[in-house]
Amino acid sequence: MGTDENGPEGLPTRAASQDWSFPFDDTWGEGVIVYVVDSGVWNGHSELTGRVEDGWVREGLGGAATEDVCDHGTAVASLIAGTTLGVAKKATIVPIRIVDGSRCSPTPPESTTDVVPGVNWVVSDFKARTNVKAGIVNISWQLYQTDASESALSDCYGGPAQAALQRVKDVGQFVVGNTDWDDARLDLCEVGSNFGPCLTLFAPGASMVVAADKPGIDGTNHPLTRGGCGSSGTSFAAPLVSGVIAAIASTSGNLSPAEMRTTVVQKAVNPAGIGDLQESPDIMLQSLLISRTAQR
């Protein structure tokens, strides 16, 4: 066990302390596969060296999944499993690249049809694996509004809201929101945060220190960046949740998706005193080695 002062900001401590170091166990993530559905993950970064597989690229895009074409997936992966930045430092990353360089924010995939083939590949790949403890899918990517997404939002806010929320719980899905350094729902740089009754919990996601996807100007292969708006958003809160899930799976054995969701929520701070909830649950993600009562 150790304390990493460069780790995910705010994960273990509340805003009042301004102490951004977090305790961790260096076995977290062993035997766990995390599929990062994103813009690719650069496998040359020292935060991830030796733990990024070849992965999958959506048909027609060309290139490799180990190329990050939007300077996004590498950052996400570093918060899940980075050697100094990540929660679950021993997890294996499998990149699922669903975009090319012309489809980065603010022009993300236009519909779920861009994403579903990658998720289907993930399911097939995981079923074919042996000697792994768990598989996690992290999707830190937005979609344009579609009939399907509009229907889902309507279910959350409209008549069958409880049925929609129950579907999220039944499949063990996490819908993540992000907070700033004052523990308020993030409203920064136009990235904002997920919110609403179907949200599962919040995690920090403002101006995160993350791995950059290109070698530094001095030729090094371990550049880090605090990108301000570029590393703020729910994109960078979700991987902290994935990291905690990987930690639980590697140390406590795999649980069913629904059981895992319940476990993570039970370990979280509730109530957390998050500002501007917009009908969201007042729940904040916590590292496994942190007392919930000590953080309130």
Side-chain angles (χ1 to χ4, degrees), residues 131-164:
N131 300 319
V132 294
K133 295 179 180 178
I136 300 162
V137 183
N138 188 100
I139 305 178
S140 289
W141 206 261
Q142 74 182 68
L143 299 173
Y144 285 130
Q145 291 180 332
T146 64
D147 289 344
S149 64
E150 287 295 315
S151 175
L153 287 172
S154 177
D155 283 352
C156 276
Y157 284 96
Q162 289 304 310

PDB file of all heavy atoms in Angstrom, residues 131-164:
ATOM      1  N   ASN A 131      -8.989 -17.034 -17.232  1.00  0.00           N
ATOM      2  CA  ASN A 131      -8.113 -16.552 -16.159  1.00  0.00           C
ATOM      3  C   ASN A 131      -8.151 -15.038 -15.979  1.00  0.00           C
ATOM      4  O   ASN A 131      -7.132 -14.397 -15.717  1.00  0.00           O
ATOM      5  CB  ASN A 131      -6.664 -16.996 -16.408  1.00  0.00           C
ATOM      6  CG  ASN A 131      -6.516 -18.503 -16.461  1.00  0.00           C
ATOM      7  OD1 ASN A 131      -7.142 -19.215 -15.662  1.00  0.00           O
ATOM      8  ND2 ASN A 131      -5.718 -18.994 -17.393  1.00  0.00           N
ATOM      9  N   VAL A 132      -9.328 -14.460 -16.152  1.00  0.00           N
ATOM     10  CA  VAL A 132      -9.503 -13.048 -15.823  1.00  0.00           C
ATOM     11  C   VAL A 132     -10.590 -12.939 -14.759  1.00  0.00           C
ATOM     12  O   VAL A 132     -11.518 -13.747 -14.713  1.00  0.00           O
ATOM     13  CB  VAL A 132      -9.889 -12.204 -17.059  1.00  0.00           C
ATOM     14  CG1 VAL A 132      -8.753 -12.176 -18.051  1.00  0.00           C
ATOM     15  CG2 VAL A 132     -11.164 -12.712 -17.707  1.00  0.00           C
ATOM     16  N   LYS A 133     -10.452 -11.937 -13.912  1.00  0.00           N
ATOM     17  CA  LYS A 133     -11.391 -11.791 -12.795  1.00  0.00           C
ATOM     18  C   LYS A 133     -12.647 -11.032 -13.184  1.00  0.00           C
ATOM     19  O   LYS A 133     -13.725 -11.289 -12.639  1.00  0.00           O
ATOM     20  CB  LYS A 133     -10.694 -11.080 -11.632  1.00  0.00           C
ATOM     21  CG  LYS A 133      -9.552 -11.877 -11.023  1.00  0.00           C
ATOM     22  CD  LYS A 133      -8.887 -11.107  -9.893  1.00  0.00           C
ATOM     23  CE  LYS A 133      -7.754 -11.912  -9.282  1.00  0.00           C
ATOM     24  NZ  LYS A 133      -7.057 -11.155  -8.204  1.00  0.00           N
ATOM     25  N   ALA A 134     -12.503 -10.069 -14.066  1.00  0.00           N
ATOM     26  CA  ALA A 134     -13.663  -9.250 -14.419  1.00  0.00           C
ATOM     27  C   ALA A 134     -13.364  -8.448 -15.672  1.00  0.00           C
ATOM     28  O   ALA A 134     -12.206  -8.228 -16.030  1.00  0.00           O
ATOM     29  CB  ALA A 134     -14.007  -8.299 -13.268  1.00  0.00           C
ATOM     30  N   GLY A 135     -14.427  -8.000 -16.317  1.00  0.00           N
ATOM     31  CA  GLY A 135     -14.327  -7.102 -17.454  1.00  0.00           C
ATOM     32  C   GLY A 135     -15.197  -5.877 -17.213  1.00  0.00           C
ATOM     33  O   GLY A 135     -16.328  -5.994 -16.740  1.00  0.00           O
ATOM     34  N   ILE A 136     -14.652  -4.708 -17.508  1.00  0.00           N
ATOM     35  CA  ILE A 136     -15.351  -3.441 -17.288  1.00  0.00           C
ATOM     36  C   ILE A 136     -15.348  -2.668 -18.601  1.00  0.00           C
ATOM     37  O   ILE A 136     -14.350  -2.664 -19.324  1.00  0.00           O
ATOM     38  CB  ILE A 136     -14.638  -2.613 -16.200  1.00  0.00           C
ATOM     39  CG1 ILE A 136     -14.609  -3.386 -14.879  1.00  0.00           C
ATOM     40  CG2 ILE A 136     -15.294  -1.248 -16.014  1.00  0.00           C
ATOM     41  CD1 ILE A 136     -13.585  -2.886 -13.897  1.00  0.00           C
ATOM     42  N   VAL A 137     -16.441  -2.008 -18.908  1.00  0.00           N
ATOM     43  CA  VAL A 137     -16.525  -1.178 -20.115  1.00  0.00           C
ATOM     44  C   VAL A 137     -16.677   0.274 -19.688  1.00  0.00           C
ATOM     45  O   VAL A 137     -17.632   0.624 -18.989  1.00  0.00           O
ATOM     46  CB  VAL A 137     -17.709  -1.585 -21.007  1.00  0.00           C
ATOM     47  CG1 VAL A 137     -17.716  -0.756 -22.280  1.00  0.00           C
ATOM     48  CG2 VAL A 137     -17.667  -3.071 -21.332  1.00  0.00           C
ATOM     49  N   ASN A 138     -15.732   1.105 -20.094  1.00  0.00           N
ATOM     50  CA  ASN A 138     -15.797   2.542 -19.797  1.00  0.00           C
ATOM     51  C   ASN A 138     -16.090   3.289 -21.098  1.00  0.00           C
ATOM     52  O   ASN A 138     -15.309   3.238 -22.044  1.00  0.00           O
ATOM     53  CB  ASN A 138     -14.474   3.024 -19.204  1.00  0.00           C
ATOM     54  CG  ASN A 138     -14.553   4.461 -18.709  1.00  0.00           C
ATOM     55  OD1 ASN A 138     -14.709   4.704 -17.515  1.00  0.00           O
ATOM     56  ND2 ASN A 138     -14.447   5.430 -19.613  1.00  0.00           N
ATOM     57  N   ILE A 139     -17.207   4.006 -21.122  1.00  0.00           N
ATOM     58  CA  ILE A 139     -17.569   4.803 -22.290  1.00  0.00           C
ATOM     59  C   ILE A 139     -17.626   6.266 -21.860  1.00  0.00           C
ATOM     60  O   ILE A 139     -18.622   6.726 -21.305  1.00  0.00           O
ATOM     61  CB  ILE A 139     -18.913   4.364 -22.901  1.00  0.00           C
ATOM     62  CG1 ILE A 139     -18.884   2.871 -23.230  1.00  0.00           C
ATOM     63  CG2 ILE A 139     -19.221   5.179 -24.152  1.00  0.00           C
ATOM     64  CD1 ILE A 139     -20.187   2.335 -23.792  1.00  0.00           C
ATOM     65  N   SER A 140     -16.536   6.983 -22.054  1.00  0.00           N
ATOM     66  CA  SER A 140     -16.474   8.409 -21.727  1.00  0.00           C
ATOM     67  C   SER A 140     -16.666   9.208 -23.005  1.00  0.00           C
ATOM     68  O   SER A 140     -15.788   9.954 -23.449  1.00  0.00           O
ATOM     69  CB  SER A 140     -15.117   8.743 -21.092  1.00  0.00           C
ATOM     70  OG  SER A 140     -15.006   8.214 -19.802  1.00  0.00           O
ATOM     71  N   TRP A 141     -17.836   9.063 -23.578  1.00  0.00           N
ATOM     72  CA  TRP A 141     -18.066   9.662 -24.892  1.00  0.00           C
ATOM     73  C   TRP A 141     -19.505  10.105 -24.988  1.00  0.00           C
ATOM     74  O   TRP A 141     -20.412   9.418 -24.515  1.00  0.00           O
ATOM     75  CB  TRP A 141     -17.747   8.655 -25.991  1.00  0.00           C
ATOM     76  CG  TRP A 141     -17.352   9.298 -27.274  1.00  0.00           C
ATOM     77  CD1 TRP A 141     -18.150   9.508 -28.356  1.00  0.00           C
ATOM     78  CD2 TRP A 141     -16.073   9.834 -27.607  1.00  0.00           C
ATOM     79  NE1 TRP A 141     -17.449  10.146 -29.353  1.00  0.00           N
ATOM     80  CE2 TRP A 141     -16.161  10.363 -28.914  1.00  0.00           C
ATOM     81  CE3 TRP A 141     -14.852   9.926 -26.934  1.00  0.00           C
ATOM     82  CZ2 TRP A 141     -15.095  10.968 -29.557  1.00  0.00           C
ATOM     83  CZ3 TRP A 141     -13.786  10.521 -27.569  1.00  0.00           C
ATOM     84  CH2 TRP A 141     -13.912  11.026 -28.868  1.00  0.00           C
ATOM     85  N   GLN A 142     -19.757  11.253 -25.609  1.00  0.00           N
ATOM     86  CA  GLN A 142     -21.114  11.730 -25.771  1.00  0.00           C
ATOM     87  C   GLN A 142     -21.644  11.369 -27.149  1.00  0.00           C
ATOM     88  O   GLN A 142     -20.876  11.137 -28.085  1.00  0.00           O
ATOM     89  CB  GLN A 142     -21.175  13.234 -25.574  1.00  0.00           C
ATOM     90  CG  GLN A 142     -20.591  14.021 -26.741  1.00  0.00           C
ATOM     91  CD  GLN A 142     -20.627  15.514 -26.500  1.00  0.00           C
ATOM     92  OE1 GLN A 142     -19.932  16.020 -25.640  1.00  0.00           O
ATOM     93  NE2 GLN A 142     -21.448  16.211 -27.262  1.00  0.00           N
ATOM     94  N   LEU A 143     -22.955  11.337 -27.244  1.00  0.00           N
ATOM     95  CA  LEU A 143     -23.621  11.089 -28.517  1.00  0.00           C
ATOM     96  C   LEU A 143     -24.571  12.234 -28.806  1.00  0.00           C
ATOM     97  O   LEU A 143     -25.124  12.854 -27.901  1.00  0.00           O
ATOM     98  CB  LEU A 143     -24.424   9.779 -28.470  1.00  0.00           C
ATOM     99  CG  LEU A 143     -23.642   8.502 -28.220  1.00  0.00           C
ATOM    100  CD1 LEU A 143     -24.601   7.339 -28.040  1.00  0.00           C
ATOM    101  CD2 LEU A 143     -22.687   8.225 -29.363  1.00  0.00           C
ATOM    102  N   TYR A 144     -24.753  12.489 -30.075  1.00  0.00           N
ATOM    103  CA  TYR A 144     -25.798  13.439 -30.432  1.00  0.00           C
ATOM    104  C   TYR A 144     -27.152  12.874 -30.036  1.00  0.00           C
ATOM    105  O   TYR A 144     -27.332  11.661 -29.890  1.00  0.00           O
ATOM    106  CB  TYR A 144     -25.797  13.700 -31.942  1.00  0.00           C
ATOM    107  CG  TYR A 144     -24.673  14.578 -32.411  1.00  0.00           C
ATOM    108  CD1 TYR A 144     -23.869  14.195 -33.478  1.00  0.00           C
ATOM    109  CD2 TYR A 144     -24.420  15.798 -31.790  1.00  0.00           C
ATOM    110  CE1 TYR A 144     -22.839  15.001 -33.920  1.00  0.00           C
ATOM    111  CE2 TYR A 144     -23.410  16.613 -32.228  1.00  0.00           C
ATOM    112  CZ  TYR A 144     -22.614  16.222 -33.294  1.00  0.00           C
ATOM    113  OH  TYR A 144     -21.605  17.028 -33.719  1.00  0.00           O
ATOM    114  N   GLN A 145     -28.098  13.763 -29.865  1.00  0.00           N
ATOM    115  CA  GLN A 145     -29.434  13.320 -29.507  1.00  0.00           C
ATOM    116  C   GLN A 145     -30.033  12.471 -30.629  1.00  0.00           C
ATOM    117  O   GLN A 145     -29.977  12.828 -31.796  1.00  0.00           O
ATOM    118  CB  GLN A 145     -30.338  14.519 -29.227  1.00  0.00           C
ATOM    119  CG  GLN A 145     -29.944  15.273 -27.950  1.00  0.00           C
ATOM    120  CD  GLN A 145     -30.846  16.457 -27.698  1.00  0.00           C
ATOM    121  OE1 GLN A 145     -31.393  17.026 -28.633  1.00  0.00           O
ATOM    122  NE2 GLN A 145     -31.002  16.816 -26.450  1.00  0.00           N
ATOM    123  N   THR A 146     -30.584  11.348 -30.233  1.00  0.00           N
ATOM    124  CA  THR A 146     -31.258  10.460 -31.165  1.00  0.00           C
ATOM    125  C   THR A 146     -32.620  10.115 -30.590  1.00  0.00           C
ATOM    126  O   THR A 146     -32.919  10.415 -29.437  1.00  0.00           O
ATOM    127  CB  THR A 146     -30.455   9.160 -31.361  1.00  0.00           C
ATOM    128  OG1 THR A 146     -30.401   8.464 -30.108  1.00  0.00           O
ATOM    129  CG2 THR A 146     -29.038   9.450 -31.839  1.00  0.00           C
ATOM    130  N   ASP A 147     -33.441   9.451 -31.385  1.00  0.00           N
ATOM    131  CA  ASP A 147     -34.742   9.038 -30.877  1.00  0.00           C
ATOM    132  C   ASP A 147     -34.586   8.137 -29.651  1.00  0.00           C
ATOM    133  O   ASP A 147     -35.335   8.245 -28.680  1.00  0.00           O
ATOM    134  CB  ASP A 147     -35.514   8.295 -31.968  1.00  0.00           C
ATOM    135  CG  ASP A 147     -35.981   9.230 -33.080  1.00  0.00           C
ATOM    136  OD1 ASP A 147     -35.977  10.460 -32.869  1.00  0.00           O
ATOM    137  OD2 ASP A 147     -36.335   8.719 -34.163  1.00  0.00           O
ATOM    138  N   ALA A 148     -33.564   7.244 -29.706  1.00  0.00           N
ATOM    139  CA  ALA A 148     -33.360   6.316 -28.588  1.00  0.00           C
ATOM    140  C   ALA A 148     -32.922   7.054 -27.327  1.00  0.00           C
ATOM    141  O   ALA A 148     -33.428   6.793 -26.228  1.00  0.00           O
ATOM    142  CB  ALA A 148     -32.312   5.263 -28.967  1.00  0.00           C
ATOM    143  N   SER A 149     -31.993   8.014 -27.477  1.00  0.00           N
ATOM    144  CA  SER A 149     -31.526   8.727 -26.293  1.00  0.00           C
ATOM    145  C   SER A 149     -32.618   9.635 -25.740  1.00  0.00           C
ATOM    146  O   SER A 149     -32.775   9.781 -24.528  1.00  0.00           O
ATOM    147  CB  SER A 149     -30.268   9.548 -26.622  1.00  0.00           C
ATOM    148  OG  SER A 149     -30.551  10.556 -27.567  1.00  0.00           O
ATOM    149  N   GLU A 150     -33.394  10.242 -26.636  1.00  0.00           N
ATOM    150  CA  GLU A 150     -34.491  11.074 -26.178  1.00  0.00           C
ATOM    151  C   GLU A 150     -35.519  10.245 -25.417  1.00  0.00           C
ATOM    152  O   GLU A 150     -36.076  10.678 -24.407  1.00  0.00           O
ATOM    153  CB  GLU A 150     -35.154  11.773 -27.362  1.00  0.00           C
ATOM    154  CG  GLU A 150     -34.339  12.903 -27.963  1.00  0.00           C
ATOM    155  CD  GLU A 150     -34.165  14.042 -26.983  1.00  0.00           C
ATOM    156  OE1 GLU A 150     -35.152  14.441 -26.328  1.00  0.00           O
ATOM    157  OE2 GLU A 150     -33.037  14.533 -26.859  1.00  0.00           O
ATOM    158  N   SER A 151     -35.763   9.022 -25.884  1.00  0.00           N
ATOM    159  CA  SER A 151     -36.703   8.137 -25.205  1.00  0.00           C
ATOM    160  C   SER A 151     -36.205   7.767 -23.817  1.00  0.00           C
ATOM    161  O   SER A 151     -36.967   7.740 -22.855  1.00  0.00           O
ATOM    162  CB  SER A 151     -36.922   6.869 -26.040  1.00  0.00           C
ATOM    163  OG  SER A 151     -37.741   5.949 -25.357  1.00  0.00           O
ATOM    164  N   ALA A 152     -34.898   7.491 -23.726  1.00  0.00           N
ATOM    165  CA  ALA A 152     -34.324   7.130 -22.431  1.00  0.00           C
ATOM    166  C   ALA A 152     -34.429   8.289 -21.442  1.00  0.00           C
ATOM    167  O   ALA A 152     -34.767   8.099 -20.273  1.00  0.00           O
ATOM    168  CB  ALA A 152     -32.868   6.711 -22.608  1.00  0.00           C
ATOM    169  N   LEU A 153     -34.142   9.517 -21.927  1.00  0.00           N
ATOM    170  CA  LEU A 153     -34.250  10.680 -21.054  1.00  0.00           C
ATOM    171  C   LEU A 153     -35.697  10.906 -20.635  1.00  0.00           C
ATOM    172  O   LEU A 153     -35.978  11.254 -19.492  1.00  0.00           O
ATOM    173  CB  LEU A 153     -33.711  11.919 -21.766  1.00  0.00           C
ATOM    174  CG  LEU A 153     -32.202  11.993 -21.921  1.00  0.00           C
ATOM    175  CD1 LEU A 153     -31.829  13.173 -22.815  1.00  0.00           C
ATOM    176  CD2 LEU A 153     -31.518  12.125 -20.574  1.00  0.00           C
ATOM    177  N   SER A 154     -36.592  10.704 -21.560  1.00  0.00           N
ATOM    178  CA  SER A 154     -38.009  10.864 -21.237  1.00  0.00           C
ATOM    179  C   SER A 154     -38.431   9.888 -20.161  1.00  0.00           C
ATOM    180  O   SER A 154     -39.197  10.218 -19.254  1.00  0.00           O
ATOM    181  CB  SER A 154     -38.858  10.664 -22.500  1.00  0.00           C
ATOM    182  OG  SER A 154     -40.232  10.740 -22.191  1.00  0.00           O
ATOM    183  N   ASP A 155     -37.911   8.659 -20.231  1.00  0.00           N
ATOM    184  CA  ASP A 155     -38.235   7.654 -19.221  1.00  0.00           C
ATOM    185  C   ASP A 155     -37.738   8.085 -17.850  1.00  0.00           C
ATOM    186  O   ASP A 155     -38.383   7.852 -16.833  1.00  0.00           O
ATOM    187  CB  ASP A 155     -37.611   6.302 -19.586  1.00  0.00           C
ATOM    188  CG  ASP A 155     -38.388   5.594 -20.683  1.00  0.00           C
ATOM    189  OD1 ASP A 155     -39.478   6.087 -21.041  1.00  0.00           O
ATOM    190  OD2 ASP A 155     -37.901   4.559 -21.178  1.00  0.00           O
ATOM    191  N   CYS A 156     -36.541   8.697 -17.806  1.00  0.00           N
ATOM    192  CA  CYS A 156     -35.979   9.114 -16.522  1.00  0.00           C
ATOM    193  C   CYS A 156     -36.804  10.225 -15.891  1.00  0.00           C
ATOM    194  O   CYS A 156     -36.976  10.262 -14.675  1.00  0.00           O
ATOM    195  CB  CYS A 156     -34.538   9.591 -16.701  1.00  0.00           C
ATOM    196  SG  CYS A 156     -33.339   8.247 -16.693  1.00  0.00           S
ATOM    197  N   TYR A 157     -37.266  11.151 -16.711  1.00  0.00           N
ATOM    198  CA  TYR A 157     -37.960  12.313 -16.172  1.00  0.00           C
ATOM    199  C   TYR A 157     -39.481  12.201 -16.280  1.00  0.00           C
ATOM    200  O   TYR A 157     -40.205  12.933 -15.623  1.00  0.00           O
ATOM    201  CB  TYR A 157     -37.503  13.580 -16.904  1.00  0.00           C
ATOM    202  CG  TYR A 157     -36.149  14.047 -16.483  1.00  0.00           C
ATOM    203  CD1 TYR A 157     -35.029  13.688 -17.223  1.00  0.00           C
ATOM    204  CD2 TYR A 157     -35.978  14.810 -15.341  1.00  0.00           C
ATOM    205  CE1 TYR A 157     -33.763  14.107 -16.826  1.00  0.00           C
ATOM    206  CE2 TYR A 157     -34.724  15.228 -14.941  1.00  0.00           C
ATOM    207  CZ  TYR A 157     -33.619  14.880 -15.686  1.00  0.00           C
ATOM    208  OH  TYR A 157     -32.382  15.289 -15.295  1.00  0.00           O
ATOM    209  N   GLY A 158     -39.957  11.291 -17.104  1.00  0.00           N
ATOM    210  CA  GLY A 158     -41.384  11.195 -17.332  1.00  0.00           C
ATOM    211  C   GLY A 158     -42.056  10.126 -16.502  1.00  0.00           C
ATOM    212  O   GLY A 158     -41.596   9.740 -15.431  1.00  0.00           O
ATOM    213  N   GLY A 159     -43.170   9.591 -17.041  1.00  0.00           N
ATOM    214  CA  GLY A 159     -43.998   8.656 -16.302  1.00  0.00           C
ATOM    215  C   GLY A 159     -43.283   7.417 -15.803  1.00  0.00           C
ATOM    216  O   GLY A 159     -43.316   7.115 -14.610  1.00  0.00           O
ATOM    217  N   PRO A 160     -42.620   6.652 -16.690  1.00  0.00           N
ATOM    218  CA  PRO A 160     -42.032   5.389 -16.252  1.00  0.00           C
ATOM    219  C   PRO A 160     -40.621   5.554 -15.680  1.00  0.00           C
ATOM    220  O   PRO A 160     -39.736   4.740 -15.910  1.00  0.00           O
ATOM    221  CB  PRO A 160     -42.004   4.567 -17.538  1.00  0.00           C
ATOM    222  CG  PRO A 160     -41.803   5.572 -18.615  1.00  0.00           C
ATOM    223  CD  PRO A 160     -42.517   6.821 -18.156  1.00  0.00           C
ATOM    224  N   ALA A 161     -40.376   6.628 -14.915  1.00  0.00           N
ATOM    225  CA  ALA A 161     -39.030   6.905 -14.420  1.00  0.00           C
ATOM    226  C   ALA A 161     -38.491   5.764 -13.575  1.00  0.00           C
ATOM    227  O   ALA A 161     -37.319   5.378 -13.688  1.00  0.00           O
ATOM    228  CB  ALA A 161     -39.022   8.207 -13.618  1.00  0.00           C
ATOM    229  N   GLN A 162     -39.308   5.213 -12.712  1.00  0.00           N
ATOM    230  CA  GLN A 162     -38.836   4.137 -11.838  1.00  0.00           C
ATOM    231  C   GLN A 162     -38.460   2.898 -12.635  1.00  0.00           C
ATOM    232  O   GLN A 162     -37.507   2.193 -12.302  1.00  0.00           O
ATOM    233  CB  GLN A 162     -39.906   3.806 -10.796  1.00  0.00           C
ATOM    234  CG  GLN A 162     -40.079   4.885  -9.746  1.00  0.00           C
ATOM    235  CD  GLN A 162     -38.784   5.209  -9.044  1.00  0.00           C
ATOM    236  OE1 GLN A 162     -38.065   4.331  -8.576  1.00  0.00           O
ATOM    237  NE2 GLN A 162     -38.455   6.492  -8.977  1.00  0.00           N
ATOM    238  N   ALA A 163     -39.208   2.631 -13.715  1.00  0.00           N
ATOM    239  CA  ALA A 163     -38.873   1.493 -14.565  1.00  0.00           C
ATOM    240  C   ALA A 163     -37.543   1.712 -15.262  1.00  0.00           C
ATOM    241  O   ALA A 163     -36.717   0.795 -15.373  1.00  0.00           O
ATOM    242  CB  ALA A 163     -39.984   1.267 -15.595  1.00  0.00           C
ATOM    243  N   ALA A 164     -37.303   2.938 -15.734  1.00  0.00           N
ATOM    244  CA  ALA A 164     -36.031   3.248 -16.387  1.00  0.00           C
ATOM    245  C   ALA A 164     -34.882   3.098 -15.407  1.00  0.00           C
ATOM    246  O   ALA A 164     -33.825   2.536 -15.725  1.00  0.00           O
ATOM    247  CB  ALA A 164     -36.068   4.672 -16.947  1.00  0.00           C
TER     248      ALA A 164
END
